[in-house]
Amino acid sequence: MGEQPDYFVKSAEKTLAVLLAFNAAHKSLTVTEVAGAIGVSRAAARRFLLTLVDLGYLEVEGSAYRQTPRVLDIGASYLAGLTLPQVARPHLQALANRLSETTSLCVLDDQDILYVERISNPRLHSMTVSIGNRLPAWATSMGRVLVAELPEAAREEFLNNAKLQHYTAKTVSSIDELRAELDTVREQGWSLVAQELDEGLRGLAVPVYRGAQLLGALNVSVQPGRIGSASITDEMLPLMRQAAIDIADDFGGRTAEQN
């Protein structure tokens, strides 16, 4: 590579390189990992990281750093004409048509999930929700995916504030049981909730990432008696994960393979 022009600011290049080092495969990075990724000393990497923490673009927990939603501001002007529901809708529609089930996109808002887009299947079921509706995050597959992906401190804060309620005979019964379920969801990358919020209804959810940022959760609501739990994950998970990637890519995201 030739010499850089006189105006070139090397620190600006390195700052952007730090932000781009984070992606779906590397959501948390240590000082050493960042130093190796951008080719600087640990001391220099630490200065870049702490500066970005002070500016609100990164957060630190122990020795690990993560991006915050503020990084989305960098591309805000380019994406100003796009909204996540608009981008997600054709993908949710295609998935609903493929599976003949209801599909949704939700975000986490404090202790609730908020529906931002939903494509209903003609089959009727006892639970009717619309865009803008809220449900308790701890009792839904979407909520568990979103809470499981939170940093540990934020996840514990959520659990400390959660108010469990007995909806059905299968509703999770304790915070310890819920914490164990969240650990499983975080490890496997998806959540299946069966008849905990509504009798007979099962929900399968996967996270939707834009780069290293969690945009929301994609959900398929499965009617009772259609297929067993094992068949749900075998049939639906690959299609849902691809739809989540497609939504993120259309919204300006980059898959882990591209980083």
Side-chain angles (χ1 to χ4, degrees):
M1 186 174 180
E3 290 185 7
Q4 300 291 357
D6 292 341
Y7 62 78
F8 195 85
V9 181
K10 197 71 175 176
S11 60
E13 178 192 29
K14 290 299 184 182
T15 300
L16 290 173
V18 171
L19 290 175
L20 293 173
F22 296 86
N23 54 56
H26 303 93
K27 291 175 281 188
S28 296
L29 293 172
T30 65
V31 172
T32 299
E33 289 169 335
V34 170
I38 69 172
V40 299
S41 67
R42 290 186 73 259
R46 184 173 181 274
R47 289 196 298 271
F48 282 116
L49 289 165
L50 291 178
T51 299
L52 288 167
V53 169
D54 288 346
L55 292 173
Y57 293 104
L58 296 179
E59 60 187 7
V60 59
E61 182 178 346
S63 62
Y65 293 80
R66 294 171 61 102
Q67 289 184 340
T68 72
R70 190 170 184 180
V71 298
L72 298 180
D73 293 345
I74 296 173
S77 58
Y78 175 74
L79 297 169
L82 294 174
T83 69
L84 180 59
Q86 287 174 331
V87 170
R89 186 171 183 82
H91 298 290
L92 294 177
Q93 184 72 68
L95 187 62
N97 292 343
R98 180 80 177 269
L99 297 176
S100 297
E101 297 287 2
T102 294
T103 58
S104 305
L105 185 72
C106 296
V107 296
L108 186 65
D109 187 12
D110 194 18
Q111 290 283 308
D112 298 329
I113 55 163
L114 177 69
Y115 282 83
V116 296
E117 190 55 87
R118 184 169 172 86
I119 304 297
S120 297
N121 181 64
R123 290 195 191 97
L124 297 177
H125 55 78
S126 59
M127 210 171 165
T128 302
V129 295
S130 303
I131 296 171
N133 284 171
R134 294 170 178 271
L135 289 174
W138 62 268
T140 65
S141 60
M142 303 84 85
R144 290 182 187 176
V145 160
L146 294 169
V147 174
E149 293 293 317
L150 291 174
E152 185 177 353
R155 196 162 64 248
E156 283 302 313
E157 181 180 1
F158 176 92
L159 290 169
N160 290 337
N161 293 324
K163 295 179 173 57
L164 303 191
Q165 182 177 338
H166 190 76
Y167 290 105
T168 74
K170 296 188 177 182
T171 303
V172 66
S173 59
S174 70
I175 293 296
D176 286 342
E177 185 181 351
L178 178 59
R179 181 181 286 106
E181 175 64 16
L182 291 174
D183 289 342
T184 298
V185 170
R186 186 178 180 86
E187 181 178 352
Q188 67 190 14
W190 53 272
S191 173
L192 176 64
V193 173
Q195 305 183 81
E196 291 194 39
L197 190 61
D198 185 69
E199 291 286 355
L201 188 62
R202 291 173 291 180
L204 181 64
V206 297
V208 179
Y209 271 100
R210 179 186 180 206
Q213 292 302 310
L214 182 63
L215 291 177
L218 185 156
N219 164 265
V220 172
S221 300
V222 187
Q223 296 304 302
R226 183 190 177 198
I227 49 180
S229 295
S231 298
I232 289 175
T233 55
D234 290 344
E235 175 185 348
M236 296 185 176
L237 265 179
L239 299 176
M240 293 174 66
R241 283 172 167 156
Q242 186 58 54
I245 291 171
D246 293 341
I247 290 170
D249 285 348
D250 282 358
F251 198 54
R254 299 186 302 168
T255 59
E257 290 76 15
Q258 292 172 299
N259 283 279

